[in-house]
Amino acid sequence: MEVAAALAAALVPSWSAMVVLFSYLGYLAVAGAILPGKLVPGAVLPDSSRLHYRCNGLLSLLLLLGLSALGVYMGWMSPTVIADRGIELLSATFIFSVIVTSLLYYSGLRSHHKSSSLKPHVSGSFIQDWWLGVQLNPHFMGVDLKFFFVRAGMMAWLFINLSLFAKSYLAGSANLSVMLYQFFCAWYIVDYFIHEEFMTSTWDIIAERLGFMLVFGDLVFIPFTFTIQGWWLLRNKVELSLLAAMVNCFIFVIGYLVFRGANKQKHVFKKNPKALIWGKPPKLVGGKLLASGYWGIARHCNYLGDILLALSFSLPCGTSSVIPYFYPTYLFILLIWRERRDEARCSEKYKEIWVEYCKLVPWRIFPYVY
């Protein structure tokens, strides 16, 4: 009963948790608006318009890391502040996501814009429209909310991990398993911001409207569930053998090379269809679909890389529990579902060209398996 009461109390957002959340989001809004960054054109929308994105996420991240380090050094904040208030922050962020989604839904219904970005898409079902969203690229005070929320979620993932690492270090439990997990995730997240412009050509940015699915996914699901391994390692000591650590590193490297390589090839191809792929002119199907490089191995080879990376984040936790494997399991199911949706969309869009491409590249995600 005492544990249940303590948990229930923690689920009620404290003022300190609200301060942390809104200070963080406020910083990202200001930093995103004033810090220099490459201006990247987005995909061409159905009405021939295109948005432009200021990709200064890496600079925003580095500055926030510096400010946080200064705050810890000066004694203004504890390095474990996030880990100490994890459940409170989860609750506060969830409530914020529900409020934001509701505001987006009702403002979208009242929109009279005709542009592809702001034109309301209403199915008539409240649940469907609230969940999937009404507008493609809603803005608030000049901030593209979809791009902003993705950045906020990815960066929060890193800061939660760093706070967990600080707690492990202070407790004297920062062993090889903790180091590997922290290194793999940090590399992945920092690399994401180095290549942030690649995000502008992804399915989420191009095709998904901004509803609860994306708002919750970016602000709550990514930072608070992708760190389950870190929370688990904080409470469970895992001693990895040298062989297990080497295999873990191998899976991470292969996953990273496939994931980053496939996404880079796709992004470069969209910007310049004549750019060389692995030193050779690209092979095209119907003059539109890339069938070279990773995209000649599987139709969604980037998903394979993402799944291997997710697995590498969990392997440092050993095999004594399935809990740390929630992320790769969830991601596997999500990407299979997304791949099916994407296949249906591409089949409708490209018709016979897509049929020809599928014959040339028969594997969906896993070569010779699926």
Side-chain angles (χ1 to χ4, degrees), residues 235-303:
R235 294 166 175 79
N236 299 271
K237 187 175 182 179
V238 177
E239 297 291 348
L240 289 181
S241 66
L242 180 60
L243 177 60
M246 291 176 63
V247 170
N248 198 171
C249 290
F250 177 76
I251 293 174
F252 172 78
V253 170
I254 296 300
Y256 172 75
L257 292 176
V258 173
F259 174 76
R260 178 53 61 212
N263 282 331
K264 184 175 183 180
Q265 286 179 354
K266 179 181 179 181
H267 184 78
V268 171
F269 172 71
K270 288 186 175 182
K271 300 296 180 182
N272 179 15
K274 296 182 179 180
L276 298 180
I277 301 290
W278 288 346
K280 299 179 181 179
K283 181 188 296 184
L284 305 182
V285 177
K288 296 181 179 181
L289 301 177
L290 178 64
S292 291
Y294 291 104
W295 301 96
I297 298 175
R299 301 199 292 269
H300 300 275
C301 208
N302 55 329
Y303 291 176

Side-chain angles (χ1 to χ4, degrees), residues 1-34:
M1 290 295 291
E2 293 181 0
V3 175
L7 180 61
L11 286 173
V12 179
S14 64
W15 282 110
S16 58
M18 299 297 288
V19 168
V20 171
L21 174 62
F22 284 102
S23 296
Y24 171 67
L25 295 176
Y27 164 81
L28 287 184
V30 173
I34 66 175

Side-chain angles (χ1 to χ4, degrees), residues 24-341:
Y24 171 67
L25 295 176
Y27 164 81
L28 287 184
V30 173
I34 66 175
L35 292 180
K38 182 178 180 182
L39 199 62
V40 178
V44 178
L45 300 175
D47 63 356
S48 299
S49 66
R50 67 193 313 174
L51 300 177
H52 288 75
Y53 301 90
R54 187 180 300 280
C55 293
N56 55 11
L58 180 62
L59 185 56
S60 300
L61 172 60
L62 295 177
L63 179 58
L64 185 54
L65 283 171
L67 292 173
S68 299
L70 177 63
V72 171
Y73 177 77
M74 297 298 293
W76 299 334
M77 60 181 286
S78 167
T80 64
V81 61
I82 300 175
D84 293 338
R85 291 172 170 79
I87 297 179
E88 294 177 28
L89 285 168
L90 169 62
S91 177
T93 309
F94 176 79
I95 294 171
F96 176 78
S97 299
V98 172
I99 294 173
V100 166
T101 302
S102 300
L103 292 175
L104 287 172
Y105 172 76
Y106 288 111
S107 63
L109 289 181
R110 294 196 300 269
S111 174
H112 298 289
H113 285 272
K114 301 299 182 182
S115 66
S116 296
S117 291
L118 299 175
K119 180 181 178 180
H121 297 264
V122 182
S123 68
S125 168
F126 168 76
I127 295 177
Q128 180 176 330
D129 293 337
W130 190 80
W131 178 265
L132 295 177
V134 176
Q135 294 175 302
L136 183 64
N137 298 109
H139 286 66
F140 177 71
M141 297 180 66
V143 177
D144 183 293
L145 293 177
K146 188 193 295 183
F147 195 67
F148 174 79
F149 289 151
V150 174
R151 176 181 290 183
M154 290 297 294
M155 210 174 289
W157 179 5
L158 177 62
F159 277 91
I160 291 175
N161 270 344
L162 290 176
S163 187
L164 291 171
F165 177 73
K167 203 169 182 68
S168 295
Y169 179 80
L170 293 174
S173 59
N175 59 7
L176 178 60
S177 296
V178 173
M179 295 290 189
L180 283 179
Y181 166 72
Q182 290 288 342
F183 175 77
F184 292 157
C185 289
W187 181 287
Y188 178 83
I189 296 165
V190 172
D191 179 78
Y192 169 89
F193 285 107
I194 291 174
H195 301 94
E196 189 178 31
E197 67 175 277
F198 294 176
M199 182 65 192
T200 63
S201 59
T202 59
W203 167 272
D204 285 354
I205 295 295
I206 294 174
E208 297 280 20
R209 297 189 295 276
L210 187 60
F212 186 73
M213 182 178 71
L214 286 188
V215 175
F216 172 83
D218 292 337
L219 295 182
V220 180
F221 202 84
I222 288 177
F224 290 100
T225 62
F226 289 11
T227 55
I228 284 177
Q229 302 95 318
W231 292 102
W232 196 86
L233 286 171
L234 186 63
R235 294 166 175 79
N236 299 271
K237 187 175 182 179
V238 177
E239 297 291 348
L240 289 181
S241 66
L242 180 60
L243 177 60
M246 291 176 63
V247 170
N248 198 171
C249 290
F250 177 76
I251 293 174
F252 172 78
V253 170
I254 296 300
Y256 172 75
L257 292 176
V258 173
F259 174 76
R260 178 53 61 212
N263 282 331
K264 184 175 183 180
Q265 286 179 354
K266 179 181 179 181
H267 184 78
V268 171
F269 172 71
K270 288 186 175 182
K271 300 296 180 182
N272 179 15
K274 296 182 179 180
L276 298 180
I277 301 290
W278 288 346
K280 299 179 181 179
K283 181 188 296 184
L284 305 182
V285 177
K288 296 181 179 181
L289 301 177
L290 178 64
S292 291
Y294 291 104
W295 301 96
I297 298 175
R299 301 199 292 269
H300 300 275
C301 208
N302 55 329
Y303 291 176
L304 171 61
D306 215 359
I307 291 170
L308 290 175
L309 283 171
L311 180 62
S312 74
F313 299 159
S314 298
L315 287 174
C317 298
T319 57
S320 64
S321 174
V322 299
I323 293 175
Y325 291 86
F326 171 81
Y327 174 31
T329 303
Y330 150 78
L331 188 66
F332 176 82
I333 296 172
L334 172 70
L335 293 182
I336 293 293
W337 174 63
R338 177 169 289 187
E339 173 266 324
R340 292 285 179 169
R341 292 174 62 204

